[in-house]
Amino acid sequence: MIIKHLSLTNFRNYASLELELPPRVVIVRGDNAQGKSNLLEAIYLLSTSRSPHTTTDRELIHWGEEGQDIWGARLVTEVKRARDEVRLEIALQQETQLLPSPRGSGARKRIRINGVARRASDLVGQVKVVMFSPQDIDVVSGAPNLRRRYLDITNSQLDRAYLRSLQHLQKVLLQRNRLLRLIQDGRARPQELHFWDGEMVEHGCRIMAHRHQLVARLSEMARDIHHGLTQGTENLEIHYLPNLGEAFTPDRPEAVAGAFHEALEREQRREIAAGMTLVGPHRDDVRFEVNGADMGRYGSRGQQRSLVLALRLAEANLIRDRSGEAPVLLLDDFLSELDRERRRHLLKAIALYEQVIITATDLEPFEPSFLSPATKLEVSRGVIRELRDSNP
């Protein structure tokens, strides 16, 4: 899978960009705040319909000189896949102004696949990418919702049925929580929860089963990669922590459904008092351990960074195994805080992929043998040019 062309209009600090991207390794060099990360963000947005850095699409729209009003942003990419090519487009259109300041408004998202208007869910999986950014350390040390989001994005790229179940569960949670608040206010009866409990169990069990399978496979694959990164001194284990606890027995799906129903009934009074659903996969978590120690609590920044890089490479390998096609690797400042041996090991691993797009503030950390065949670009204030000299 190769991203052939990327077109950006009014996206972040890119007023206008037309960029041809070759296969293999592309290194984008530039100082901070020049547009390196924004370039990767644009590709990630085109592959998942979501930004890895913000939940507010309005923030993605570029503002011109002196903050003049801009209608919106447009992102287009042409991708070569194993059997065909696809053109993906996202337009972010500024909504009608309701506030005095234009920065207070939102943005409408329009998606086209090969020129045909489609939903955001149809975009997911069209082009598969795996992205590492320095903020990924939060997947290990941050709040549980970040780890759930990681599992959901990875599973959604692999299985469209998972994405549908996830979307349905989110709707069920909204309706069930609304009903719990109505019951709390005396405007509905507890018996009305029966239907939504059934929906919770059906889709929740499906999501838990897929998450369990994903974590088990990632743990196995990341362990080997991490072992190489740490020269055999650290043993990585990834554990899925379902909200049902020991009642979650993946080899007995009927028992899981029964335990889920029982937990909902047992917690019903507490849920009514809280006005929210307290049982289900929306409260799952994941724990990362190295040599038995919880990395979220006790891991150093260097350990957490190595762990996440191993996790991302395992994710890429899994996508390649499942889909038969390697994803595009997007690596944002990934060599920082790593010693020479870990850098060497990583560069050797990523050189095997069809397309890798890397950002860096300088080229010094890259070995000459890796740097020489790579395409080298430089970005400055949203303008990209090719570097002919590997040591400018």
Side-chain angles (χ1 to χ4, degrees):
M1 187 168 293
I2 298 169
I3 295 171
K4 296 172 55 181
H5 186 83
L6 180 66
S7 174
L8 303 178
T9 305
N10 296 333
F11 177 80
R12 292 289 196 184
N13 69 330
Y14 290 97
S16 179
L17 174 70
E18 298 293 335
L19 181 63
E20 299 291 333
L21 288 166
R24 296 303 177 185
V25 177
V26 178
I27 302 176
V28 183
R29 192 200 74 171
D31 294 334
N32 293 329
Q34 299 304 304
K36 302 189 305 297
S37 298
N38 295 345
L39 188 73
L40 301 189
E41 181 184 28
I43 297 171
Y44 189 88
L45 182 68
L46 282 160
S47 68
T48 66
S49 82
R50 301 170 66 178
S51 164
H53 303 312
T54 180
T55 57
T56 305
D57 289 338
R58 184 64 189 84
E59 294 181 12
L60 303 176
I61 299 175
H62 169 79
W63 288 84
E65 294 296 326
E66 298 180 359
Q68 72 231 41
D69 199 1
I70 298 293
W71 67 271
R74 183 170 177 265
L75 304 84
V76 183
T77 187
E78 296 172 8
V79 182
K80 181 181 179 181
R81 303 186 292 197
R83 297 180 178 84
D84 60 9
E85 295 190 4
V86 63
R87 177 185 170 91
L88 309 174
E89 178 181 345
I90 293 179
L92 302 173
Q93 185 174 0
Q94 177 181 312
E95 292 181 343
T96 303
Q97 298 300 312
L98 300 176
L99 299 173
S101 168
R103 294 183 188 276
S105 63
R108 256 190 317 184
K109 185 183 294 176
R110 299 182 183 275
I111 293 171
R112 291 184 178 272
I113 301 175
N114 291 330
V116 179
R118 304 298 292 269
R119 299 171 300 177
S121 59
D122 297 320
L123 186 71
V124 179
Q126 294 289 336
V127 52
K128 295 177 174 61
V129 304
V130 171
M131 180 173 176
F132 169 84
S133 71
Q135 292 76 27
D136 279 355
I137 290 177
D138 292 341
V139 173
V140 178
S141 60
N145 68 294
L146 298 176
R147 291 182 280 281
R148 291 192 295 269
R149 185 174 186 267
Y150 168 75
L151 296 181
D152 290 339
I153 290 174
T154 304
N155 264 328
S156 294
Q157 287 202 82
L158 290 167
D159 188 346
R160 194 167 295 275
Y162 180 90
L163 177 58
R164 288 195 294 268
S165 288
L166 183 65
Q167 291 173 328
H168 192 86
L169 182 68
Q170 290 168 345
K171 293 176 182 177
V172 169
L173 280 168
L174 285 173
Q175 294 296 327
R176 193 174 186 276
N177 288 344
R178 179 176 178 273
L179 180 56
L180 285 167
R181 290 190 292 271
L182 289 174
I183 297 171
Q184 185 185 69
D185 294 340
R187 292 184 288 163
R189 299 173 301 160
Q191 291 84 347
E192 295 177 53
L193 287 168
H194 180 74
F195 170 78
W196 296 112
D197 286 358
E199 293 291 294
M200 278 284 297
V201 170
E202 178 184 350
H203 295 279
C205 284
R206 193 172 300 157
I207 286 168
M208 287 188 288
H210 278 79
R211 285 178 177 175
H212 168 76
Q213 294 169 5
L214 174 64
V215 171
R217 190 72 179 111
L218 284 175
S219 182
E220 178 184 347
M221 300 176 81
R223 184 188 307 119
D224 293 339
I225 297 170
H226 191 261
H227 198 260
L229 273 177
T230 60
Q231 294 83 56
T233 62
E234 297 183 1
N235 183 45
L236 171 64
E237 297 286 342
I238 308 175
H239 302 279
Y240 175 47
L241 307 178
N243 178 245
L244 289 182
E246 294 181 358
F248 178 75
T249 50
D251 56 332
R252 300 173 58 206
E254 297 84 2
V256 174
F260 200 163
H261 270 294
E262 291 175 6
L264 288 170
E265 292 176 4
R266 183 173 61 250
E267 298 295 325
Q268 187 179 100
R269 288 187 179 182
R270 277 209 318 135
E271 290 186 330
I272 293 172
M276 66 176 64
T277 303
L278 303 176
V279 178
H282 60 295
R283 290 177 170 259
D284 287 351
D285 202 352
V286 176
R287 184 172 65 241
F288 300 91
E289 294 182 356
V290 169
N291 296 341
D294 184 348
M295 288 293 97
R297 292 185 177 184
Y298 308 112
S300 68
R301 187 174 177 85
Q303 284 180 307
Q304 292 173 349
R305 193 180 188 89
S306 295
L307 189 163
V308 173
L309 283 165
L311 180 67
R312 289 300 191 187
L313 288 178
E315 175 190 345
N317 291 344
L318 179 60
I319 290 175
R320 181 173 55 190
D321 290 350
R322 291 271 187 92
S323 67
E325 193 165 10
V328 177
L329 292 185
L330 308 175
L331 304 175
D332 189 11
D333 190 27
F334 77 115
L335 292 183
S336 298
E337 303 178 32
L338 297 178
D339 58 42
R340 184 175 180 179
E341 187 59 29
R342 296 191 190 204
R343 291 202 303 264
R344 185 196 64 78
H345 188 87
L346 277 171
L347 292 175
K348 183 178 179 181
I350 66 175
L352 302 174
Y353 278 79
E354 288 184 81
Q355 190 175 51
V356 185
I357 304 174
I358 300 168
T359 69
T361 54
D362 63 75
L363 303 181
E364 190 276 332
F366 297 93
E367 294 184 357
S369 60
F370 181 88
L371 196 60
S372 178
T375 298
K376 293 164 282 292
L377 307 174
E378 184 170 50
V379 59
S380 177
R381 297 183 180 181
V383 177
I384 295 179
R385 67 180 181 90
E386 186 171 356
L387 285 175
R388 299 294 182 182
D389 183 0
S390 62
N391 294 293

